[in-house]
Amino acid sequence: MTPDNGTGLELVLNAAEGCLQIAVTENEGLLAFEEWFQPAQATETLAWALDGICHRLDMAPASFRRIACVTGPGSFTGIRLVLSTAAALRRAGRAMLGPLDYMQALATTAAMNLYLLYRQKIWVLTHARRDLVHARPFISLGPIIPACPTAEIALISPEDARSLVDADDCFVCGSALARYPGLFEPSWANFAREKGPRLVSAITRPSPGSLCLLARHADYFDEDLEPLYVRPCDAVENLPQIAEKMNRDPQETAADLERMLQRLPGGRQKDQE
């Protein structure tokens, strides 16, 4: 029996940006952690890897009491994969689902890895798509508490991100640094400086400790999770061109898509405000 004050068996999933991460804990003790760097094969890998973990731990996938999922921002495909897997496991067992913020996981990784003290500022910059980055500021609350966001996620150009952060006394991490090294590294590479942005280019994905810490503090619900999408979907933006290639009317195709987006499972429509 799981004690009422424990978390029980908990699954943590992340595939927001290039790397599939799977963690299993029981009452906050880490039982297993795996990382897979095959973004093009994540759909095939997740179920197979999770089955292998459950086999080694001699447990059924339906045994999880809580499932924490990184809901974004990041790869549409990776986010959908994680959330659909969690939704299926919820229906098969008794798990409650909790959302995790990808950028908060990176900021918390920085706070934990660098032992950042209270109120030290962290900027997270991640690649969104060509010429766009996600940018969000956080403050450290210490190395054992999740970093706290101080503003909403901004979707901006790399140049605007540099201008936004350049005058700040902060630590900076995230995939945008590697994506645009010529823009960020020349002025921020001096990590030992006393003030100004300090580049933490080694932090490109959340650590297992940060994911488990966020999962421990997450809110859990008996319902499926919504993805956190910030940038517009490429397929939706390119819908007119796609429709024309399929010999369909672009306006009718856009109207069909809007109707499908308003449809709930079972064919019901969302309530119109």
Side-chain angles (χ1 to χ4, degrees), residues 127-133 155-158 179-180 231 234:
H127 174 66
R129 67 179 182 190
R130 187 175 63 181
D131 299 327
L132 284 175
V133 302
L155 184 66
I156 55 180
S157 70
R179 187 79 179 194
Y180 304 98
R231 69 174 177 84
D234 294 335

Side-chain angles (χ1 to χ4, degrees), residues 41-54:
Q41 300 176 15
T43 302
E44 298 87 348
T45 301
L46 176 53
W48 175 82
L50 184 56
D51 180 68
I53 291 173
C54 290

Side-chain angles (χ1 to χ4, degrees), residues 10 23 30 49 58-59 66 83 86 90 92-93 97 99 101 114 120 128 143 165 182 186 189 204 230 273:
E10 182 177 65
L30 185 64
D58 192 25
M59 56 167 289
R66 308 199 313 181
L83 297 190
R90 183 179 75 85
L97 306 187
D101 182 287
L114 302 174
Q120 288 190 289
V165 179
T204 58
V230 177
E273 297 181 355

Side-chain angles (χ1 to χ4, degrees), residues 99-197:
L100 306 183
D101 182 287
Y102 181 65
M103 302 185 81
Q104 186 182 25
L106 289 171
T108 301
T109 299
M112 296 176 74
N113 288 6
L114 302 174
Y115 298 96
L116 299 184
L117 301 179
Y118 178 68
R119 296 201 66 81
Q120 288 190 289
K121 197 164 187 179
I122 307 163
W123 272 94
V124 178
L125 307 177
T126 62
H127 174 66
R129 67 179 182 190
R130 187 175 63 181
D131 299 327
L132 284 175
V133 302
H134 302 114
R136 196 176 198 187
F138 295 81
I139 58 169
S140 170
L141 299 179
I144 60 173
I145 302 175
C148 179
T150 59
E152 295 299 318
I153 300 170
L155 184 66
I156 55 180
S157 70
E159 293 76 16
D160 286 344
R162 174 177 169 170
S163 298
L164 195 63
V165 179
D166 209 19
D168 220 344
D169 181 18
C170 60
F171 295 86
V172 191
C173 64
S175 58
L177 305 182
R179 187 79 179 194
Y180 304 98
L183 182 64
F184 295 120
E185 287 186 359
S187 60
W188 297 354
N190 184 9
F191 185 81
R193 66 170 65 181
E194 293 185 1
K195 289 188 176 182

